[in-house]
Amino acid sequence: MTPPQLVVHRDKELMAQAAAARLITRIVDAQAARGHASVVLTGGRNGNGLLAALAAAPARDAVDWSRLDLWWGDERFLPEGDPERNVTQAREALLDAVPLDPARVHAMPASDGPYGKDVDEAAAAYAAELAAAAGPEDHGPVPSFDVLMLGVGPDTHVASLFPELPAVRETERTVVGVHGAPKPPPVRISLTLPAIRAAREVWLLAAGEDKAEAAAIALSGAGEIQAPAAGAYGRSRTLWLLDAAAASQLPRALYPPASA
Ligand SMILES: O=C(O)[C@H](O)[C@@H](O)[C@H](O)[C@H](O)COP(=O)(O)O
């Protein structure tokens, strides 16, 4: 497990801009080193705020968008084009504005897609798509994503892994169907913790006072079944990107108040 590093920004706008700049650099570096890059997107306001900031950043043209694979950490199991789908929101925030290769945009299945209403089958199909994209160098059924981003919920959920529900206990499968999620809609698809941990870098995004308790709990040694965010870490880096409000309840040892 890579111990979490913390970066605290003044407010959520600055956090989104700084994270967007960081993501551009990371993608450009990966493309320079390996010719391509892979990023896992998150749903939620913080993730979409980052994508919107990226869309507005002049440096976005430094990315070779045609050599970028995009995956999702979770999806709300709704019909194609539904405004509440994470992919719909990501398209609006950024994806429609950049020259991506459609074959490299790996959206999770919709509830009116080839698997119909069967979310478990849809999840299995996404697991198969990930496995097909993994190479021998990945040592497992999931590619070693360059960056995997996760919004953090006020109850410490990440992706659609909610405290105590079966999905957060999954140790074998890489993608699961989620039933009865406390955040609407109740039916979702999610990467599991083992899949998340295949990423080189995991970035957790938390802004606002309603995230302060969740950040404090997850960063204070809580177990991952009770606090899923505590189980989200990358192979080489785990980075918490916070605004000052979300950092306001962190233990002093992690984030001394004087540095706020
Ligand atoms: O589909 C979703 O709802 C998510 O992926 C979810 O895990 C989200 O990232 C968090 O709930 C944080 O959301 P906010 O950034 O909006 O607080």
Side-chain angles (χ1 to χ4, degrees):
M1 169 187 169
T2 46
Q5 299 170 347
L6 269 63
V7 178
V8 181
H9 294 288
R10 188 180 61 221
D11 54 45
K12 71 171 190 300
E13 288 75 25
L14 196 54
M15 184 187 106
Q17 287 160 6
R22 185 185 288 278
L23 185 59
I24 291 171
T25 304
R26 200 61 206 85
I27 295 170
V28 169
D29 283 355
Q31 289 179 334
R34 287 190 302 280
H36 54 87
S38 61
V39 169
V40 182
L41 301 179
T42 176
R45 290 157 298 169
N46 289 299
N48 287 315
L50 185 158
L51 296 183
L54 209 164
R60 80 181 206 195
D61 293 339
V63 171
D64 181 346
W65 294 100
S66 69
R67 291 187 297 130
L68 176 66
D69 279 282
L70 290 179
W71 301 88
W72 269 263
D74 75 328
E75 186 54 276
R76 301 147 181 200
F77 199 52
L78 297 167
E80 189 67 53
D82 190 292
E84 289 299 317
R85 259 172 73 77
N86 290 336
V87 62
T88 312
Q89 297 181 358
R91 284 195 197 285
E92 273 167 25
L94 172 72
L95 311 192
D96 286 346
V98 290
L100 290 159
D101 174 354
R104 288 181 179 260
V105 178
H106 308 274
M108 286 180 162
S111 62
D112 57 354
Y115 315 101
K117 295 264 175 241
D118 190 338
V119 70
D120 300 311
E121 210 186 309
Y126 202 70
E129 191 173 342
L130 283 166
E137 69 284 3
D138 294 316
H139 304 293
V142 176
S144 308
F145 311 114
D146 289 298
V147 178
L148 181 148
M149 293 181 288
L150 295 167
V152 179
D155 59 355
T156 71
H157 76 256
V158 288
S160 291
L161 305 178
F162 294 89
E164 311 279 358
L165 290 194
V168 75
R169 300 176 187 271
E170 180 64 42
T171 55
E172 298 295 325
R173 289 175 295 168
T174 56
V175 189
V176 291
V178 174
H179 305 263
K183 177 179 181 177
V187 183
R188 294 161 165 263
I189 300 174
S190 187
L191 297 194
T192 59
L193 287 176
I196 287 169
R197 291 174 192 149
R200 292 184 170 86
E201 298 198 10
V202 170
W203 299 359
L204 297 109
L205 313 171
E209 244 187 275
D210 60 324
K211 304 297 173 65
E213 199 183 344
I217 291 171
L219 286 163
S220 301
E224 65 197 32
I225 308 295
Q226 294 75 32
Y233 43 86
R235 284 184 183 174
S236 57
R237 194 173 199 202
T238 307
L239 191 58
W240 279 72
L241 302 171
L242 304 135
D243 74 350
S248 61
Q249 289 182 35
L250 291 180
R252 279 163 182 263
L254 286 176
Y255 181 59
S259 63

